[in-house]
Amino acid sequence: MSALARWCHRHRLVTVLLWLGLLVGLGAASGAFGTKYSDSMSMPATESSKALDLLKAGMPAAAGDTDTVVWHTTGGSVNDAATKDRMGKVLEEISTAPSVASVVSPYSPQGAPQISKDGTTAYAQVNFTGNAREIPKADVEHVVQLAEQARTDGLDVQLGGQAVQNSESEMGGASELIGIVAALIVMTLVFRSLWAAALPVLTAVAGVGTGVIGTGLLSHGMSVASVAPTLGALVGLGVGIDYALFIVNRHRKGLMAGLSVQDSVVRALNTSGRAVLFAGLTVVIALLGMLILGIGFLNGMAISAALTVGLTVLAAITLLPAMLGMLKLKVLSRAQRRQLADQGPTELQSAGVWARWALRVQARPTGKALVALLVMAAVAVPVFSLRLGSSDAGNNPKSSTTRQAYDLMADGFGAGSNGPLLLVAEAPGAPEQAALAKLVTELKTVPGVAQVASAPMKDGQSIGTVRVVPSTSPQSEQTSALITDLRERVVPQAEAGTGLQVYVGGATATAADFADVLISKLPVFIAIIVGLGCLLMMVAFRSLLVPLIGVAMNLLTMGAAFGAIVAVFQWGWGSEALGAGAAGPIEAFAPVMIIAILFGLSMDYQVFLISRMHEEWTHTRDNRRAVRVGHGETGQVITAAAVIMACVFAAFIFGGQRMIAEFGIGLALAVLLDVLVLRMVLVPALMHRFGAANWWLPGWLDRLLPHVSVEGEPDPAPQPPVLLAERPAEEPARVDAAR
């Protein structure tokens, strides 16, 4: 790290220009090639994916995305001549629009069931030529504009479907800007220097910018979800600003101690820079750990988020030293520069409030530990009612056309009309087709089925489709139970003794399969993450107890995150107010992503806190002093980092995207509780109670594990701790006696 820091400092202009060139080059490539995101949740070996593959092979025209145009009259009937003529012309225009394969009108014989019993609501099916992500956004917006032209005072026209929802979704933008401004305000208050506050933001923006653009280019080579850039920006901004913050803070201490700018930069990179590198690697490893699940939808998000985090670390250890060299003493506040000029070198200390708090925790660790545990348990309680699934348009903001179309369909045709199941059958001969006809009759008597419609098979056609409308909404537990019943009981009975092969598919079945696969693999993923966390901390701190404490803290943090998400989004405590729609299940992939992200972030704070304690322990072999000094000296910077990261995460809550809002609320609250309750209360309290046992490691294991220095070469042996300077000389003894 020392050689890298010196090179970047000496060649600071070249380093900055290299980063600018990287940003411009990637931007030019992105402009030339564009992006190719894919939101497909289908997975090989699941029944829904088999149904889709069969449909693509036998009926490619029916395999594209199907959206709906819904209209409702407040007076009269949809069969009135004026309404019929108005909507008929609109549907005819839509049928000839780009990317539209066909339109099934309710005014045609095939679409007759698409008019509600009371005659006030009707819908048309718009079949596109490809899946929702492949259709050009301009083509979908053109269809939306054509349909909206039909609206009058007495005729409400709305549109639903995945392609329409994608067209009205705007990822990112204001959220990133709000998070950056909030981070600037916090760091300006901490550093009392606008230059010092701006550096972490500039560094993070450089890392996140290259990461997000790189994610777009990556989408050409692998399946990457459209939400990946926003998720990468959310995580990258948070960790990028924090990583640079730790390095800038250490550099300012070096300057105030009388070091030259270059020597201070080198020391900051060789100490805090090493910790940043270690912390960043843990986040990257945790994210890449999702690859073991073998789910394509998550693989792209994991790699893109890991890429963004990796680039923010690279910016922190290369671009930041160069900019520190350019600013010289401007990273200090004016008062500090005057103090350095008038009084000479001095030691820049953390705020006295954290030193005093460290003494209070040392004096009464047990009571404070119990309070901290109660707080975390109270926040985590809702996690026991966690239900994973996939939200539908009913969870969209009320102002969106997809939500209004969803409500019109539910009112006119029942909740299940928004998520029909599609049964795809292989029926090559007359016996199989007869068995399929018998199945259609049987389906009408199955509990939970509201409507059944089969498409007539043409001569020579061997693939048949049956549309099954559940009586409950797509996200309902009853709908999931119906899918299971069809697959395990109804369909096998129809297939028995015949050559008929039927697969239950459709968007609702695909979402259910995705959730089932993730839930089945979640325990293995958690076990690997926990084991990895133990091993990394064992290597870093040569201890058995510290890793176990860290893992326990990580699990408490995850419980708090999921508890908050369940309360807000599943129970509906404020989800509408946040613009995230009504209550519903938690997105199935959210736990995996949040576990990976929080594991890395919790490890970061544990590393920065324990490494200072460990450094003091190596000097004094006094556990009480080591915990107290590490706690007091890192309190201010760790708390500031947590507040900054929480501000960045919270800024994404109000973007109108439910899945991003879930990440924003869960991560923002979890990070704050992790630092304020766990790292600043529970961890030091427990370490005071355990004493010297914190640093015990069996000799055979010590010889087996590699030796890694997280903070590089430690600073020279410290003078008497400044955090006790404000106390009378007998204060430590008094506190020790109180224990």
Side-chain angles (χ1 to χ4, degrees):
M1 292 296 288
S2 299
L4 178 63
R6 286 194 180 92
W7 192 95
C8 292
H9 178 267
R10 290 172 181 170
H11 304 86
R12 40 192 177 272
L13 182 58
V14 172
T15 304
V16 171
L17 290 177
L18 284 174
W19 271 96
L20 284 174
L22 180 62
L23 274 169
V24 172
L26 288 174
S30 179
F33 298 105
T35 60
K36 194 176 181 181
Y37 295 118
S38 172
D39 290 326
S40 173
M41 289 188 179
S42 63
M43 292 170 287
T46 61
E47 189 164 329
S48 57
S49 66
K50 292 177 183 178
L52 182 60
D53 292 341
L54 183 60
L55 198 61
K56 286 180 177 179
M59 303 174 64
D65 188 66
T66 299
D67 289 42
T68 55
V69 179
V70 191
W71 58 97
H72 174 76
T73 59
T74 55
S77 167
V78 293
N79 284 314
D80 291 345
T83 301
K84 193 172 182 178
D85 181 63
R86 189 178 188 85
M87 292 308 304
K89 291 179 180 178
V90 168
L91 296 179
E92 186 176 348
E93 289 184 68
I94 291 176
S95 66
T96 59
S99 298
V100 175
S102 63
V103 175
V104 180
S105 169
Y107 302 126
S108 66
Q110 182 182 350
Q114 296 168 200
I115 298 177
S116 64
K117 292 180 179 180
D118 62 7
T120 62
T121 307
Y123 69 94
Q125 293 181 340
V126 180
N127 301 310
F128 287 100
T129 55
N131 66 51
R133 183 51 57 183
E134 294 173 346
I135 307 166
K137 184 177 180 180
D139 292 352
V140 180
E141 290 176 340
H142 179 58
V143 170
V144 173
Q145 291 170 358
L146 290 174
E148 289 178 343
Q149 289 176 1
R151 290 177 185 163
T152 64
D153 291 339
L155 182 65
D156 185 18
V157 181
Q158 304 293 341
L159 296 96
Q162 190 59 53
V164 175
Q165 182 165 311
N166 291 346
S167 72
E168 67 180 359
S169 300
E170 293 294 338
M171 295 288 186
S175 298
E176 288 90 334
L177 183 59
I178 293 171
I180 289 172
V181 171
L184 268 174
I185 293 172
V186 174
M187 284 187 293
T188 302
L189 293 173
V190 172
F191 289 144
R192 305 293 178 179
S193 167
L194 188 58
W195 285 112
L199 282 180
V201 170
L202 292 174
T203 304
V205 168
V208 170
T210 52
V212 169
I213 298 172
T215 295
L217 295 174
L218 188 67
S219 66
H220 290 279
M222 65 181 299
S223 177
V224 179
S226 60
V227 74
T230 305
L231 188 60
L234 182 149
V235 179
L237 278 177
V239 300
I241 292 173
D242 275 11
Y243 291 163
L245 169 68
F246 291 125
I247 295 173
V248 170
N249 185 63
R250 194 64 174 250
H251 173 61
R252 281 159 51 89
K253 288 184 177 181
L255 291 177
M256 290 299 293
L259 295 178
S260 67
V261 174
Q262 177 173 305
D263 289 344
S264 180
V265 168
V266 171
R267 175 170 289 186
L269 263 291
N270 205 37
T271 53
S272 293
R274 284 177 179 267
V276 162
L277 186 60
F278 182 85
L281 285 175
T282 61
V283 177
V284 169
I285 291 171
L287 289 168
L288 294 181
M290 289 190 291
L291 297 179
I292 64 173
L293 297 175
I295 298 175
F297 180 82
L298 290 179
N299 290 348
M301 288 200 291
I303 291 175
S304 63
L307 173 67
T308 304
V309 171
L311 286 167
T312 60
V313 172
L314 182 62
I317 62 176
T318 57
L319 179 61
L320 182 57
M323 292 193 295
L324 288 172
M326 289 179 170
L327 290 179
K328 301 186 184 302
L329 295 181
K330 289 182 180 178
V331 294
L332 299 174
S333 67
R334 291 181 180 178
Q336 288 168 338
R337 294 199 296 268
R338 285 196 299 268
Q339 180 184 351
L340 187 61
D342 297 341
Q343 304 175 18
T346 184
E347 193 167 353
L348 183 62
Q349 296 300 330
S350 300
V353 63
W354 293 108
R356 293 190 292 273
W357 176 248
L359 285 166
R360 292 192 180 99
V361 173
Q362 178 183 328
R364 294 180 175 83
T366 304
K368 290 180 173 58
L370 290 175
V371 171
L373 280 173
L374 287 174
V375 170
M376 297 300 293
V379 178
V381 163
V383 76
F384 294 104
S385 63
L386 174 67
R387 181 169 74 89
L388 300 180
S390 181
S391 59
D392 53 35
N395 301 116
N396 290 351
K398 288 183 177 180
S399 59
S400 64
T401 186
T402 49
R403 169 66 181 275
Q404 295 180 59
Y406 181 98
D407 292 340
L408 288 177
M409 289 288 292
D411 292 341
F413 302 93
S417 62
N418 284 292
L421 306 176
L422 186 65
L423 276 59
V424 184
E426 284 186 283
E432 291 82 7
Q433 293 178 14
L436 178 60
K438 184 178 179 182
L439 172 62
V440 172
T441 303
E442 174 67 21
L443 286 170
K444 295 177 181 179
T445 65
V446 174
V449 173
Q451 184 182 359
V452 179
S454 60
M457 295 180 63
K458 300 178 182 178
D459 292 339
Q461 187 175 332
S462 61
I463 304 298
T465 60
V466 181
R467 188 171 182 267
V468 177
V469 178
S471 58
T472 51
S473 68
Q475 61 180 258
S476 170
E477 292 181 89
Q478 289 87 344
T479 301
S480 298
L482 173 62
I483 295 172
T484 302
D485 185 42
L486 293 179
R487 289 173 172 173
E488 296 182 357
R489 183 183 66 83
V490 179
V491 169
Q493 289 177 359
E495 294 174 338
T498 72
L500 179 68
Q501 185 69 53
V502 181
Y503 302 102
V504 179
T508 302
T510 298
D513 287 344
F514 184 80
D516 289 342
V517 171
L518 269 181
I519 292 170
S520 67
K521 295 185 177 185
L522 198 56
V524 176
F525 178 69
I526 293 175
I528 291 174
I529 287 293
V530 168
L532 178 63
C534 274
L535 180 60
L536 287 174
M537 283 188 281
M538 202 179 298
V539 170
F541 302 118
R542 323 307 297 177
S543 165
L544 279 181
L545 198 53
V546 166
L548 293 176
I549 292 174
V551 167
M553 299 305 105
N554 290 353
L555 293 176
L556 285 173
T557 301
M558 292 171 192
F562 295 140
I565 292 172
V566 168
V568 174
F569 298 98
Q570 186 176 314
W571 293 357
W573 291 5
S575 59
E576 289 280 13
L578 295 175
I586 306 303
E587 300 299 331
F589 66 87
V592 175
M593 290 295 298
I594 289 175
I595 287 171
I597 294 169
L598 277 182
F599 165 79
L601 299 184
S602 296
M603 281 283 291
D604 288 357
Y605 294 125
Q606 185 79 346
V607 165
F608 287 115
L609 174 65
I610 301 298
S611 60
R612 182 65 187 94
M613 294 179 180
H614 187 256
E615 181 181 342
E616 191 69 19
W617 166 257
T618 60
H619 283 309
T620 65
R621 295 293 164 173
D622 182 344
N623 179 74
R624 294 170 63 76
R625 176 174 169 176
V627 174
R628 185 177 64 239
V629 170
H631 186 190
E633 290 191 2
T634 60
Q636 183 187 45
V637 68
I638 290 180
T639 303
V643 171
I644 289 168
M645 193 175 288
C647 288
V648 172
F649 291 154
F652 287 81
I653 295 173
F654 304 97
Q657 299 297 319
R658 182 182 179 85
M659 66 178 69
I660 293 298
E662 288 178 4
F663 284 101
I665 276 216
L667 292 175
L669 184 62
V671 164
L672 281 178
L673 291 175
D674 183 272
V675 170
L676 297 178
V677 178
L678 299 183
R679 311 302 161 181
M680 292 294 102
V681 181
L682 188 54
V683 169
L686 290 176
M687 293 184 72
H688 277 303
R689 300 309 305 170
F690 290 129
N694 290 315
W695 314 106
W696 178 77
L697 185 69
W700 65 269
L701 187 56
D702 184 52
R703 292 188 294 271
L704 185 63
L705 294 174
H707 287 258
V708 177
S709 176
V710 175
E711 283 258 4
E713 291 297 324
D715 292 339
Q719 301 298 319
V722 176
L723 61 88
L724 299 178
E726 298 179 3
R727 296 280 182 175
E730 68 273 15
E731 181 69 6
R734 185 180 68 79
V735 175
D736 287 349
R739 181 172 179 266

